[in-house]
Amino acid sequence: MSTRTDTPTHGPLAVDGVSSDEGHAALRASVRRLGELLGESLTRHEGPDLLELVEQVRALAREPDHGAKLAQLLSGVDDRTAIVLARAFTAYFQLANASEQLHRGLELSHQPSGGLDTALERLQDAVTAGEADPRAVREVLGRLQLRPVFTAHPTESSRRSVLDLLLRITANVEASEDPQQRPTDALRGQRRLAELVDLLWQTDELRVERPRPADEARSALHYLRTLAADVLPDLLEDLDVGLANAGLGLPAGARPLRFGSWVGGDRDGNPNVTPEVTLEVLGLMHDAALDVLSSAVRELRTELAASTQIVGVSEELAASLERDARLMPEVRADRERLNGEEPYRFQLSYVLARLEGTRARLRSGAEHVEGLDYAGPEEFFAELRVLQDSLRANDGELVADGSVARLLRTAHAVGFGLATLDVREHAERHHAALAAAYDRLGELVQPYASLDRESRRRLLSRELTGHRPLIGAAVRSLTGTPAQVMHLFATIRNCLDRFGDDAIESYIVSMTQGVDDLLAVVVLAREVGLVDLADGGGREGGPGDVARIGFVPLFETVTELEAAEDLLEGLLSDPSYRRVVAARGDVQEIMLGYSDSSKDAGIAASRWQIHRAQRALRDVARRHGVVLRLFHGRGGSVGRGGGPTGEAILAQPYGTLDGPIKVTEQGEVISDKYVQPRLARHNLEVALSAALEASTLHRSARADHDVLDVWDGTMDVLAAEGQRAYRALVRDPGLVPFFLTATPVEELGHLNIGSRPSRRPGGTGGLEDLRAIPWVFGWTQSRINVPGWFGVGSGLAAARAAGRGDALREMYAEWHFFRSFVSNVQMTLAKTDLGIAAHYVEELVPAAQRGAFDVIRAEHARTLEQVLWVTEQDSLLESTPVLRRTLELRDAYLAPLHALQVSLLGRSRAAGDGVDPALRRALLLTINGIAAGMRNTG
């Protein structure tokens, strides 16, 4: 969405330069008005002199070659004034972003469907033309499931208080733009808007302390509750009705859309996520879900006023009412006078009482009491179906297939917990626990830790089918890591017993490098009763086989991705593990890591190896008769796998999406995608439509295999040369000092935006210890954006030099994967500004350490040239002018923040350990402001 005008308006932070397109007039007007209100607030609080300084800085930033003048002006600004400047430009970005979200949502609401209608039409045409077998399509629809998984890292840089104020501001902007409002309403709205902007200025953008995992969970729940109440009912109804109209329909109990979460479950490198935290977070999630469901049932009860004076009820519902009257006499006494002849309202009163009883039971950890609370969501679903069947049999078909069906679909999507929690832990911690157990027994000829991977695999596979407790009562004598690991598994079992099997579904193993890494987790899960193969009779999925959670290898580096095929083959060929998969419904989940693979080998090698790995994993799963559920660990920024989700889903290799798919939603993009219900609907619809289309229609290759061979060979050349160039950069000893001085990465730890430390524990302080998030965040702040494009130019040039130029252009025109890859690189290049970056380098990096910047400049020029050649453009983003104008607008306001940040970084580093708190605060505000303007943290 563009916000550009050719006529500057008077007032602080007014919109300079946004498009004159008639369709954007309302957006331009709202941003202009908010900018004026911000200027008035700044004058009231800080005085006209500071407003004049803001205007002076803004005007300088618009001049060509403004760097020296702006630096000179800002060098004389004291710390307190620097704080005000940083806050002023950050507040503008916050207001402009919020307004843009509002108008983007309004525009989308007046446009054709976000993709669902198109996907359904294509599916119906394919079935009608005989290109898709209806029975096979229905089978796939039965397991269709898009699961966005909310993570806490990198978390939203803006505080919840700021986001809430911005939401109120946009609500008032929308109301004020209603042409039918009365003049008194307009005046009152204008006063309220000024009040809210004033409150925004008075609200601190920075967190006083680092959030706890429970705080991050509450933030995620805020969005999940809104989605469940305001988005899911309509979206799921449109999908269900659309499929029915196409002669297909969803099976009863289908869950095409669910949510997942890592908040409170991801403990890899985060010592703050303890078993106690996991239990606390699950309690919050279930309390919120039951509140959402109770609200929906109350609303349905208000509607269902059907009287037995007019219609009848089914025998099953009548029997249910009689039973409930005996079990809950207090509810009967309370409601009989009001609803004695309204059986559906009466029944929903009992349902509400049981939901409240369930909520109280889960809060206290008490035992389930038959009839007074629900043992699990299936009992709740069953009661709603009884009510629905009675309506259908008694002239209530429209209501049964309307309001009741809407509630059922939503309830199936959110369950009793809103989202399913994933647990993640590092592979080595599991082996440490097993080493303690086996070494205590003394039955191995050598210590467990010294066994090679194949020896461990054989040992653990045998152990799984045995009857003995490996650890048993000795768990009480464990200390350190082994004790912590066993405490975690015991907590998972307790959580499943208390909250149900939907509470935790997947146990993800970081740094999976061998079959033994997965078997180790299964053995430890067996120790607490989560897995039991002892009574299965040696048959796959025997009647006694139990696996209450699934086990998920995470392939994070290029080396691990290259070995993924052999590892999955080894896992599924192991008889013991194959029984575990059978007990899980013959579904094997695999997680693919974008962030670390990109940090390890560059974006070209990362994307290509992930694509190749998906093909190989697809083929292995098919050979073993297993449904593959891929979990894409994509980041918010392109350097960490970000980019449009729908395009990414459609760009997967054919046949890899066989119904279910999981995709991370990183903390930094959650507010942008889901804060406005209209935008939330659009984003979910696009992703769900892509999952539907890819699962049902992209089951075979779209291009001939000889063409694919040429494309594959071209990508091999591109990825190999891209990796070589990238690794030459990151392995240069001079890059570490350059990165640490040319970016504010060392200052990020003071920003308090997430509960997880930015570095892995026990490292040496080099780049290998730095997590992918701050790696991307640092480069983004100084506008170099290395992770999002470096190496691509060398790769494309190498492919062209090898005579593959025609293939590259053909790939861009016809191959969804390659077009998506190049488009994402192009967007990152557009956000890169080496002119701004040069200011960081010249002011902050000693002359002897600037060699890396010369390499970066050369590769940037090469990448820009090659991308423009492949896309046949004269300049970046020619085909997306709205995005280009938006980025140009943001640059006009980012320039002052960058210049201020450089000045403050210089002062802060000169002060050493004695940095004044005001100086640090000003610096952190620039980091926060640039993140708001770039819409990226990491």
Side-chain angles (χ1 to χ4, degrees), residues 780-801:
T780 302
Q781 286 280 307
S782 57
R783 302 295 293 279
I784 304 177
N785 292 326
V786 158
W789 58 264
F790 196 94
V792 175
S794 291
L796 289 170
R800 289 179 66 188

Side-chain angles (χ1 to χ4, degrees), residues 106-156:
L106 288 170
E107 184 176 334
L108 288 169
S109 68
H110 292 97
Q111 290 179 353
S113 163
L116 190 55
D117 290 347
T118 302
L120 289 169
E121 184 178 348
R122 288 173 180 164
L123 180 57
Q124 186 172 15
D125 289 347
V127 170
T128 302
E131 298 169 358
D133 180 1
R135 287 175 298 179
V137 169
R138 290 189 185 95
E139 181 185 349
V140 174
L141 290 175
R143 57 179 179 265
L144 175 69
Q145 186 174 106
L146 168 71
R147 191 182 308 184
V149 180
F150 285 21
T151 79
H153 58 274
T155 194
E156 167 65 59

Side-chain angles (χ1 to χ4, degrees), residues 196-500:
L196 290 169
V197 172
D198 218 44
L199 284 171
L200 181 68
W201 181 257
Q202 295 174 14
T203 301
D204 193 358
E205 301 91 334
L206 302 179
R207 295 178 176 90
V208 176
E209 59 182 26
R210 188 176 291 275
R212 299 184 302 116
D215 300 325
E216 295 169 330
R218 290 185 182 92
S219 179
L221 286 174
H222 171 84
Y223 296 104
L224 289 168
R225 290 177 66 113
T226 302
L227 290 169
D230 300 335
V231 179
L232 291 186
D234 288 349
L235 176 57
L236 293 174
E237 180 177 2
D238 291 348
L239 174 66
D240 199 0
V241 172
L243 286 169
N245 291 340
L248 296 165
L250 287 170
R255 307 177 78 177
L257 180 59
R258 291 177 66 190
F259 291 98
S261 177
W262 274 21
V263 186
D266 180 17
R267 58 209 350 98
D268 181 17
N270 191 346
N272 301 304
V273 181
T274 63
E276 291 76 16
V277 164
T278 299
L279 188 62
E280 178 188 8
V281 167
L282 282 171
L284 292 171
M285 293 169 65
H286 283 74
D287 201 70
L290 288 164
D291 185 52
V292 167
L293 292 176
S294 294
S295 296
V297 171
R298 287 190 191 93
E299 185 176 343
L300 182 61
R301 185 177 65 177
T302 301
E303 288 186 9
L304 285 183
S307 169
T308 52
Q309 296 290 335
I310 302 171
V311 296
V313 298
S314 68
E315 292 182 3
E316 191 176 7
L317 180 60
S320 176
L321 286 166
E322 289 182 11
R323 182 203 64 174
D324 289 343
R326 294 191 300 270
L327 287 170
M328 300 181 187
E330 69 285 354
V331 176
R332 176 182 180 179
D334 180 56
R335 304 301 303 185
E336 191 166 29
R337 181 178 61 83
L338 298 173
N339 307 126
E341 295 180 346
E342 296 170 342
Y344 298 110
R345 281 183 166 177
F346 220 139
Q347 178 64 19
L348 290 172
S349 295
Y350 291 127
V351 169
L352 275 170
R354 270 188 283 274
L355 284 173
E356 188 53 44
T358 306
R359 199 173 177 186
R361 172 176 66 81
L362 295 182
R363 282 176 174 173
S364 65
E367 293 294 322
H368 163 59
V369 180
E370 185 70 30
L372 299 185
D373 63 74
Y374 293 115
E378 285 299 332
E379 292 184 359
F380 172 59
F381 303 154
E383 288 205 321
L384 291 180
R385 284 193 290 269
V386 168
L387 186 146
Q388 188 179 44
D389 291 343
S390 178
L391 284 165
R392 285 190 178 126
N394 292 278
D395 300 323
E397 297 93 340
L398 292 178
V399 178
D401 296 330
S403 298
V404 179
R406 283 166 62 84
L407 174 56
L408 261 170
R409 293 187 200 100
T410 302
H412 275 291
V414 303
F416 277 0
L418 284 183
T420 296
L421 191 68
D422 289 340
V423 171
R424 181 172 73 143
E425 184 56 281
H426 196 285
E428 285 306 312
R429 292 178 64 84
H430 309 127
H431 290 302
L434 287 172
Y438 278 111
D439 293 351
R440 179 186 62 84
L441 293 174
E443 62 184 28
L444 302 179
V445 296
Q446 62 188 101
Y448 176 88
S450 66
L451 294 175
D452 61 34
R453 290 195 178 275
E454 177 57 24
S455 299
R456 286 184 186 176
R457 187 201 65 76
R458 291 194 301 267
L459 171 68
L460 298 173
S461 183
R462 288 194 305 270
E463 191 69 55
L464 275 177
T465 56
H467 293 264
R468 70 169 181 176
L470 178 62
I471 300 175
V475 69
R476 290 189 291 271
S477 65
L478 296 178
T479 61
T481 296
Q484 294 167 3
V485 169
M486 293 313 300
H487 186 194
L488 170 60
F489 280 100
T491 300
I492 293 173
R493 182 201 61 211
N494 293 337
C495 288
L496 295 181
D497 291 343
R498 180 168 172 176
F499 297 108

Side-chain angles (χ1 to χ4, degrees), residues 494-768:
N494 293 337
C495 288
L496 295 181
D497 291 343
R498 180 168 172 176
F499 297 108
D501 287 344
D502 264 0
I504 298 172
E505 187 177 73
S506 299
Y507 192 107
I508 300 163
V509 184
S510 292
M511 301 304 290
T512 301
Q513 296 177 348
V515 172
D516 59 312
D517 289 332
L518 261 289
L519 295 183
V521 185
V522 182
V523 168
L524 293 172
R526 185 205 65 174
E527 289 299 296
V528 299
L530 292 171
V531 172
D532 186 0
L533 305 183
D535 298 325
R539 303 187 309 279
E540 291 187 4
D545 286 349
V546 173
R548 297 186 68 186
I549 57 174
F551 304 93
V552 183
L554 167 53
F555 303 119
E556 297 174 88
T557 68
V558 165
T559 300
E560 291 165 11
L561 289 164
E562 290 171 345
E565 177 182 9
D566 291 340
L567 194 146
L568 183 60
E569 179 66 42
L571 273 174
L572 296 181
S573 297
D574 184 277
S576 300
Y577 187 78
R578 185 62 184 85
R579 288 170 60 187
V580 171
V581 175
R584 297 293 302 167
D586 279 326
V587 175
Q588 174 62 58
E589 183 176 322
I590 301 287
M591 185 169 185
L592 304 171
Y594 288 67
S595 304
D596 284 301
S597 60
S598 182
K599 179 172 175 278
D600 167 49
I603 188 171
S606 168
R607 296 301 178 277
W608 181 230
Q609 196 53 56
I610 287 172
H611 193 83
R612 275 199 170 279
Q614 289 181 81
R615 294 181 186 175
L617 293 168
R618 169 201 65 197
D619 295 343
V620 173
R622 284 180 175 177
R623 286 198 299 271
H624 288 271
V626 167
V627 173
L628 182 67
R629 179 168 67 194
L630 289 174
F631 183 4
H632 296 267
R634 304 171 69 241
S637 58
V638 170
R640 298 187 58 245
T645 302
E647 289 184 14
I649 291 173
L650 291 172
Q652 292 183 96
Y654 72 87
T656 54
L657 210 170
D658 195 20
I661 183 172
K662 293 171 66 175
V663 182
T664 51
E665 291 284 26
Q666 303 289 348
E668 67 174 306
V669 300
I670 289 173
S671 67
D672 189 50
K673 294 180 71 171
Y674 297 119
V675 72
Q676 293 280 351
R678 295 185 190 91
L679 288 181
R681 157 72 193 232
H682 174 76
N683 284 305
L684 285 177
E685 180 179 346
V686 167
L688 182 59
S689 303
L692 171 66
E693 185 171 340
S695 293
T696 56
L697 300 181
H698 192 194
R699 305 187 66 80
S700 58
R702 294 180 175 131
D704 293 338
H705 285 287
D706 56 344
V707 173
L708 284 176
D709 288 343
V710 173
W711 293 355
D712 288 354
T714 303
M715 276 305 304
D716 286 341
V717 174
L718 192 163
E721 182 57 25
Q723 177 174 306
R724 185 208 60 75
Y726 176 85
R727 284 186 169 168
L729 173 72
V730 298
R731 292 177 178 177
D732 183 339
L735 185 68
V736 172
F738 175 82
F739 178 59
L740 297 181
T741 52
T743 76
V745 67
E746 293 287 69
E747 286 75 18
L748 299 182
H750 299 291
L751 200 53
N752 292 330
I753 64 169
S755 67
R756 190 168 75 158
S758 60
R759 288 187 177 274
R760 293 183 171 87
T764 60
L767 290 183
E768 65 278 1

